[in-house]
Amino acid sequence: MKGETERLFRELYNDHYGDVYRFVRQSVQHREEVEDLVQDIFIQAYRNFEKFRGECGYKTWLFAIAHNQLNSMWRKFFRRKRIAKQYEQDIKAEAEASYTMEAEWEQRLLSSELHVALEQLSEQYREVIVLRYLHDFSVSDAAIIMNTNDTRVRVLTHRAIIKLRDIWERGEELACKIESNYQKV
C-alpha cells in the first residue's frame, strides 16, 4: 500500500477496531483467541483493502470479513474428534454435579444415551444440540456459528429435541420388549 491508501487503512483500523473486537468477543470466550481473530480479520482486510469496491460501508465490509473468519474458526473447531473429546469431558463433569428437577433434561442430554441418539440425528440437528446444550451457546451465537438466523436455530432446536425424544422413547420400548421376551424364556 502506498501513502494515501495506507493512511485510509490506519483510519479504518482506528475507527472500527473496538466494534470488530466486541463482535468477535460475542462468539469467542477466551481473550487470546479474540485478539488473534481480530488480528486475522484486519490482516485479511489489509490484504484486500485495495480491492474494496465500496458497495457497502467499511464497517459492514469488516463485519463480513469477521463473520467469515468466525465461520472458518468454528468449522475447524467442530471437527468430529474435538466434539467427541469435549462431549466426554462434559459427561464426566455432569456426572459429578448434583441432581435437581431443573437439571433433569441436562442430565439426560449428558447421559450415555445422548451419544447414541446424536449419531441418529441429521448433521444440522446434531450441530444445533451440541451448540445449544453441550456448549451453552445462545440462539444468536448458534445462528452466527451455523451461518443462519435466530428463527432457524429455534426451529432446528425444537425439531431436534422432538427427534431425540422419539429416539429415546423407541429405545425404551425396545428395552421393554427385550426384557419381556427374556422373562418368557
Side-chain angles (χ1 to χ4, degrees), residues 8-18 38-39 42 62:
L8 284 172
F9 186 80
R10 264 189 257 119
E11 284 181 25
L12 172 79
Y13 178 86
N14 291 332
D15 290 346
H16 300 293
Y17 179 86
V38 171
Q39 179 181 356
F42 278 100
L62 284 171

Side-chain angles (χ1 to χ4, degrees), residues 2 4-5 35 48 67 115 118 165-166 184:
K2 303 287 184 209
E4 183 66 18
T5 307
E35 291 170 357
N48 294 296
H67 171 78
H115 187 66
L118 281 175
R165 285 182 183 154
D166 289 345
K184 289 179 185 176

Side-chain angles (χ1 to χ4, degrees), residues 166-181:
D166 289 345
I167 291 167
W168 282 324
E169 286 172 7
R170 278 185 289 149
E172 289 169 3
E173 289 173 12
L174 181 61
C176 290
K177 286 179 185 176
I178 291 171
E179 188 174 307
S180 66
N181 288 340

Side-chain angles (χ1 to χ4, degrees), residues 8-135:
L8 284 172
F9 186 80
R10 264 189 257 119
E11 284 181 25
L12 172 79
Y13 178 86
N14 291 332
D15 290 346
H16 300 293
Y17 179 86
D19 293 330
V20 172
Y21 185 92
R22 283 186 294 278
F23 177 70
V24 173
R25 183 74 173 141
Q26 290 175 345
S27 298
V28 179
Q29 297 296 320
H30 300 289
R31 184 182 190 138
E32 299 82 21
E33 291 176 9
V34 172
E35 291 170 357
D36 288 345
L37 276 169
V38 171
Q39 179 181 356
D40 291 344
I41 290 162
F42 278 100
I43 288 171
Q44 183 81 13
Y46 182 82
R47 289 179 180 153
N48 294 296
F49 189 67
E50 291 180 343
K51 296 176 187 174
F52 178 71
R53 295 179 295 207
E55 295 173 353
C56 60
Y58 284 127
K59 185 175 180 179
T60 303
W61 180 63
L62 284 171
F63 272 60
I65 293 170
H67 171 78
N68 291 335
Q69 288 286 351
L70 284 169
N71 283 341
S72 177
M73 179 201 70
W74 287 118
R75 276 192 303 272
K76 291 174 188 173
F77 180 78
F78 283 109
R79 300 275 188 245
R80 288 189 187 265
K81 289 182 181 179
R82 293 184 88 175
I83 291 174
K85 183 178 177 182
Q86 184 64 44
Y87 171 72
E88 290 173 8
Q89 291 171 352
D90 290 346
I91 287 177
K92 289 176 186 175
E94 188 62 27
E96 297 169 2
S98 63
Y99 179 81
T100 64
M101 289 304 286
E102 187 176 308
E104 183 177 353
W105 176 247
E106 291 177 16
Q107 186 70 24
R108 190 162 194 181
L109 276 177
L110 294 175
S111 71
S112 61
E113 297 171 12
L114 177 63
H115 187 66
V116 173
L118 281 175
E119 289 176 355
Q120 297 176 45
L121 293 177
S122 69
E123 185 67 33
Q124 282 187 326
Y125 288 172
R126 183 173 37 249
E127 181 179 25
V128 78
I129 291 294
V130 168
L131 290 173
R132 296 279 292 121
Y133 296 105
L134 295 181
H135 294 286

